[in-house]
Amino acid sequence: MANITKDEAIIRSSGEAARAFTDWYYTQLTDGKPITSAYVNSNAKYLAASHPPADICINGTVVATPEEWDALLEQQRLIPFTGSKGKVKYEVEGFDVHVINKDYRFAAPAEIQAATDAKLMQRTEDARLMMVVTVAGSVVFGGKEKGTPPKQHFSDVFVLVPNWDFVTRPKFKGHKRYLVASHTYRAY
Amino acid sequence: LKGMHPTPLPQFPSNLRDGEANVASIFVQVFFPMFDTDRARLAAEFYDDDSWFSIQAIANSGRNLPWKTYLKYSRNVHKLGEKNPATVQRLFTGGNLIADMWKALPSTRHPSMENPGAWLIDCHTFPNLADPTGHGFATGLLITVNGQFEESDTTENLYGKRTFTRTFILGPSKPSNPPPVHPYRVISDQLTLHDWTPAELPA
């Protein structure tokens, strides 16, 4: 199965990035906290470079902004019978990640776009990745209320792109190292 | 007890935003029947040396389906851990390796595309892939397919229905790719297999 064309360092980096992102993202969802900062929309460097807003499609409907997705999640937590807020718990059961552009440079700092400094390019190798992440898990609607809580399974797909604010901090492994440029959600 | 719990978001049918050429619609109509009948040809036509493929098994609840064949290939990074060498070994790169690996998977029968109620397909174009000619950026197409297929595993003599998610990234072909040349190629193909059966796939 071994294949010499594989770039093991990049594969490892993509796994770390997907882990940091999913750990943070689904904890935020379960805690009822906003996830808007994870998307390219609010990033100054992507805004300045006129990157289109993140493409967000929720259960087959296009959602214009991360704030609208946040509002949908808020609506989802509502218990119709009482009008109060319940808990919606997201649990990740698996994710897989592929690098789809090893040398992403859109909206990158000038010295990276110019690519004249070989050392800099080598040093930022694991920070210039465009990735696709497929996440699978379950969603439990409530718990403390009466009866068995409804349960769905979800399938999320994200395209992640570099957050250039961290490109010169190779040791930074936080969830914001990469930003969401595309998000497709399905739960059923 | 309806109304006593938080309420799942409404469900809408497939959302196909693949541009005027309808590349995604045409691609999935060709892909799934060919995956069922001629995987070698499929790999040769749409995959090249830089294509990536992997499967992840989400096996945690029911044991109503065999998992043995899939588990040895399962690249569930969440379960394996990103430092596990299996995350490299279980990533298949290049059309030839992918075709070889597909030979080992159970045979499948996907529902007809004539039955849109059996499929949830969402897709859209996105910017900033690398241009295969080496200059500038290229547009990509992200396709997410949720559905079910019938599976037969002759090594275990077992048959069943499997729920799956399949994520494709398509991008423009390389000029150097040998014929038959399609204008686009599969850059990434992620197959996720579940061991649960949805109450109903929304039409």
Side-chain angles (χ1 to χ4, degrees):
Chain A
M1 259 186 262
N3 181 348
I4 51 157
T5 66
K6 285 179 181 173
D7 190 326
E8 300 197 8
I10 279 175
I11 293 169
R12 168 83 66 91
S13 300
S14 66
E16 287 171 353
R19 164 91 55 195
F21 172 76
T22 52
D23 278 356
W24 176 83
Y25 193 89
Y26 295 98
T27 303
Q28 293 287 108
L29 289 196
T30 296
D31 292 349
K33 291 179 183 162
I35 33 65
T36 49
S37 65
Y39 293 75
V40 288
N41 303 47
S42 51
N43 181 272
K45 291 192 173 71
Y46 279 94
L47 278 171
S50 301
H51 190 281
D55 192 300
I56 307 173
C57 187
I58 305 299
N59 278 345
T61 288
V62 177
V63 168
T65 61
E67 286 75 14
E68 266 184 52
W69 167 225
D70 239 9
L72 283 175
L73 288 163
E74 195 67 13
Q75 173 197 320
Q76 191 177 239
R77 285 190 277 272
L78 197 69
I79 300 168
F81 191 74
T82 61
S84 60
K85 290 280 158 66
K87 183 144 181 148
V88 178
K89 188 180 172 205
Y90 280 81
E91 191 162 344
V92 174
E93 289 159 2
F95 68 78
D96 194 4
V97 53
H98 287 182
V99 176
I100 57 174
N101 185 351
K102 287 186 215 177
D103 188 15
Y104 188 91
R105 295 191 200 180
F106 183 86
E111 65 269 27
I112 285 176
Q113 294 203 27
T116 47
D117 183 344
K119 272 187 189 159
L120 176 69
M121 296 312 278
Q122 201 181 359
R123 191 154 53 81
T124 59
E125 197 178 57
D126 69 344
R128 288 185 281 116
L129 308 176
M130 183 187 219
M131 295 168 276
V132 60
V133 185
T134 302
V135 190
S138 52
V139 203
V140 179
F141 296 84
K144 285 179 185 141
E145 305 82 17
K146 266 188 167 175
T148 311
K151 186 176 174 175
Q152 287 187 323
H153 289 263
F154 75 88
S155 156
D156 254 332
V157 178
F158 298 95
V159 172
L160 301 181
V161 294
N163 183 347
W164 301 115
D165 298 338
F166 296 104
V167 69
T168 53
R169 291 170 56 185
K171 295 251 175 345
F172 181 79
K173 302 289 183 197
H175 70 273
K176 276 195 180 170
R177 193 155 197 230
Y178 287 90
L179 298 166
V180 179
S182 157
H183 178 196
T184 303
Y185 175 86
R186 280 286 180 184
Y188 53 91
Chain B
L1 287 172
K2 202 171 157 64
M4 296 292 284
H5 297 277
T7 325
L9 293 168
Q11 187 68 247
F12 299 94
S14 296
N15 186 303
L16 299 169
R17 291 174 290 133
D18 56 345
E20 282 176 18
N22 300 121
V23 169
S25 318
I26 295 163
F27 175 75
V28 293
Q29 276 173 36
V30 171
F31 185 92
F32 288 104
M34 218 195 277
F35 190 79
D36 292 342
T37 55
D38 195 349
R39 292 176 188 172
R41 192 178 134 213
L42 182 63
E45 282 202 20
F46 291 99
Y47 295 66
D48 65 21
D49 290 346
D50 295 319
S51 304
W52 286 22
F53 171 80
S54 53
I55 61 172
Q56 61 167 331
I58 310 296
N60 58 359
S61 50
R63 285 284 177 269
N64 55 330
L65 284 170
W67 277 110
K68 210 158 86 189
T69 317
Y70 293 123
L71 282 176
K72 64 182 170 209
Y73 298 117
S74 177
R75 187 177 192 266
N76 181 340
V77 183
H78 178 68
K79 288 256 155 73
L80 290 171
E82 58 274 27
K83 294 186 173 69
N84 191 326
T87 62
V88 176
Q89 289 151 6
R90 296 176 184 185
L91 186 62
F92 294 83
T93 58
N96 293 336
L97 278 182
I98 292 169
D100 278 350
M101 190 268 194
W102 282 354
K103 276 187 210 164
L105 296 181
S107 62
T108 51
R109 195 163 61 183
H110 290 79
S112 163
M113 283 283 161
E114 313 273 295
N115 176 13
W119 300 85
L120 287 171
I121 306 174
D122 299 315
C123 71
H124 63 269
T125 54
F126 65 93
N128 301 332
L129 282 176
D131 187 285
T133 61
H135 304 286
F137 298 115
T139 298
L141 184 62
L142 168 63
I143 310 174
T144 307
V145 181
N146 283 281
Q148 288 187 290
F149 57 75
E150 289 173 58
E151 154 186 310
S152 87
D153 191 335
T154 48
T155 60
E156 299 198 29
N157 199 26
L158 283 164
Y159 305 86
K161 211 169 222 189
R162 183 89 60 185
T163 305
F164 74 95
T165 304
R166 199 156 185 165
T167 307
F168 299 100
I169 300 285
L170 304 186
S173 290
K174 295 179 213 167
S176 57
N177 278 5
V181 176
H182 294 279
Y184 50 89
R185 66 193 185 97
V186 175
I187 293 172
S188 161
D189 175 358
Q190 294 176 331
L191 175 59
T192 304
L193 300 162
H194 310 279
D195 69 358
W196 55 280
T197 303
E200 52 178 329
L201 266 183

